[in-house]
Amino acid sequence: MDLTGLTLRVAAARPHVLLAAVPGGTAVRLAAERLLRARDWPRASTPAQADLLFVAGPDLPELRTPLERLWRDMPAPRARVHARTADEVEDALNAGRALLGPPAVRHASAAPPADAGGHREGDHGARERHEGDDQTPGHDGHGDHGGHGGHGGHGGHGGGQTEMPGGLPMAGQGADRDGLTLDQLHLPLGPFLADWPAGLTVRLVLQGDVVQRVDVDEPARPIDDAAAEAFWVHPWLRAASGEPVPVGEAVRRRAAAHLDSLGRLLAVAGWPAEAVRARRLRDDLLYGAPGAAVAPRLERFTRRVGRSRTLAWLTRGIGVVTAQKAREAGVGGPAARAGGDVTSRYRQWLADIRHDLPRLEDPAPLDVAVEDSPRGPWSAEHPPSAALIALLPRLLEGAELAAARLVVASLDPDPDELVSRGVVEVARG
């Protein structure tokens, strides 16, 4: 029996896709998620589960090393593609499927010769890479590191600590918050963790399961600023430049952004069915579904999630920040209005969605001074996500590791806001 050929045929028929979105690549990620769902291709949450690595967004040199670690941690047969724009997504996925196929299929759709980095440039505009027949799983000595492959392949643990074989950080020692001496573990979250802000890296120092110290890396910037788009605040960027934008377009984008954030939080909280439902509703809004058609489903969704006792129990008392403290930290929008814990913040998203529903077709011109962007009052000089990211250390220090991801998901800062063309131009003056 040709086991290699069978493995390739199975992988090519329905690839497990590890989606690695970079800052400025939200539109690409959304297009990929929608098409993967339409094709019923499963999403992988760690490299060990993946056949196909799909990089979504512009080229960011600072993230090439963690991307390579993700690639090394994937077992063969495997393929890698890169779509820089939403228009390239379908061709990139087709190329990845062809690369995972048996040799005859791959040769029939062969790309031009590889460049020095081992990538091939095809006519479809997506970069691709393949390893298959002569490889075995774990060929490079990298497994999934005990199930933490989703942490960006443990890219750069920081702190200069010694690593054990396989890339796991070795614990050092230090005084805990009560003055006791306990083992310390340096653990990075990101930049390519599933259901995580694109490209964000949060570095934790743990003692036991308690976060002792938090450092957040500066977001990586693309080679070409023009390639990075702050998708969720695009209507506000256009209006700020003097272009007439209908209020309906802006509130539709804002409601879709909240549904995207809810999809992440629900997935992290372990409610995948509602996470999928949030993303379907998000896509319906983004693709112009009439308000009357989508309103009943949105009402049912917001009631179901908002009234869930289990979800409230899982998130209550985590990541508490009062409205006053939030505003003192420069945070506005839903996080400031919620004035509480993770439960308060996701319920605020739900309330905002219900408020926006009747306004999806409002033709009045958008006033950026009146209508908040999804994460707060829009300012290119002070993007609202910058304040959300700056708030993370305060909320995470002293929290249990299991709660850290829920806190991040409940704030859901958007690194696109910090690297997009409009923001970078303002920052440069």
Side-chain angles (χ1 to χ4, degrees):
M1 179 181 293
D2 181 7
L3 293 180
T4 298
L6 177 61
T7 301
L8 290 169
R9 284 191 293 274
V10 170
R14 197 164 173 260
H16 288 65
V17 181
L18 182 62
L19 186 56
V22 304
T26 297
V28 186
R29 170 179 67 84
L30 294 172
E33 287 181 356
R34 187 169 185 263
L35 190 53
L36 289 174
R37 195 168 59 244
R39 294 184 175 191
D40 194 28
W41 289 9
R43 291 274 301 277
S45 58
T46 68
Q49 301 169 346
D51 309 306
L52 177 62
L53 174 60
F54 185 99
V55 184
D59 187 23
L60 277 70
E62 297 170 60
L63 295 179
R64 288 174 184 166
T65 297
L67 279 172
E68 286 300 320
R69 290 195 178 102
L70 279 185
W71 173 246
R72 288 200 305 266
D73 287 346
M74 288 173 57
R78 58 184 182 171
R80 171 176 172 177
V81 294
H82 186 171
R84 294 169 184 78
T85 68
D87 291 339
E88 296 177 1
V89 167
E90 185 168 12
D91 285 346
L93 289 175
N94 291 340
R97 182 174 186 173
L99 287 165
L100 284 168
V105 175
R106 296 204 305 270
H107 295 329
S109 58
D115 62 19
H119 298 85
R120 299 187 180 101
E121 289 287 341
D123 295 335
H124 46 73
R127 299 173 76 179
E128 58 199 42
R129 188 170 177 177
H130 173 268
E131 294 200 13
D133 308 336
D134 57 349
Q135 301 291 336
T136 57
H139 68 280
D140 53 8
H142 294 264
D144 71 348
H145 304 326
H148 295 288
H151 293 161
H154 297 290
H157 293 279
Q161 79 277 19
T162 304
E163 290 190 1
M164 296 186 293
L168 284 173
M170 185 175 279
Q173 286 192 330
D176 79 347
R177 298 166 70 89
D178 298 319
L180 302 175
T181 300
L182 299 173
D183 286 344
Q184 286 185 331
L185 181 68
H186 294 253
L187 177 68
L189 298 181
F192 298 117
L193 194 58
D195 298 303
W196 182 259
L200 180 69
T201 300
V202 177
R203 301 185 184 276
L204 308 180
V205 178
L206 302 172
Q207 287 182 309
D209 62 351
V210 178
V211 178
Q212 298 292 320
R213 192 175 74 245
V214 179
D215 295 301
V216 182
D217 289 0
E218 288 288 328
R221 296 193 180 278
I223 295 175
D224 178 9
D225 294 334
E229 178 187 274
F231 179 84
W232 295 120
V233 297
H234 197 232
W236 284 263
L237 286 170
R238 290 163 47 212
S241 70
E243 180 181 343
V245 177
V247 166
E249 179 183 341
V251 298
R252 182 180 288 268
R253 185 69 58 101
R254 183 169 62 200
H258 292 337
L259 286 164
D260 188 59
S261 296
L262 282 161
R264 294 178 192 269
L265 186 140
L266 292 167
V268 171
W271 202 356
E274 288 305 311
V276 170
R277 190 167 282 112
R279 288 161 178 160
R280 288 183 183 277
L281 288 165
R282 172 202 69 191
D283 291 347
D284 287 346
L285 288 178
L286 290 175
Y287 283 86
V294 76
R297 293 166 51 224
L298 272 170
E299 288 288 354
R300 288 194 296 272
F301 170 81
T302 56
R303 282 200 306 270
R304 188 183 303 110
V305 174
R307 295 176 181 176
S308 170
R309 295 181 180 180
T310 302
L311 183 61
W313 176 78
L314 283 171
T315 56
R316 186 174 294 120
I318 297 174
V320 176
V321 58
T322 66
Q324 180 179 344
K325 291 294 185 183
R327 293 190 178 96
E328 288 173 357
V331 172
R337 290 195 301 276
D341 53 11
V342 171
T343 309
S344 300
R345 289 193 284 275
Y346 77 69
R347 284 178 172 169
Q348 185 64 56
W349 283 334
L350 295 169
D352 288 353
I353 292 169
R354 287 193 294 269
H355 177 264
D356 282 338
L357 266 177
R359 309 172 65 207
L360 297 180
E361 278 84 33
D362 189 341
L366 172 65
D367 183 346
V368 297
V370 174
E371 295 288 348
D372 280 1
S373 70
R375 289 160 177 87
W378 177 248
S379 167
E381 294 88 349
H382 304 288
S385 286
L388 292 173
I389 291 173
L391 188 63
L392 286 176
R394 181 186 306 181
L395 295 187
L396 295 180
E397 287 176 0
E400 293 185 355
L401 177 60
R405 290 211 54 195
L406 286 169
V407 172
V408 175
S410 72
L411 293 174
D412 198 27
D414 180 14
D416 289 15
E417 293 182 6
L418 281 63
V419 304
S420 72
R421 176 176 49 201
V423 175
V424 171
E425 287 171 352
V426 169
R428 288 174 177 168

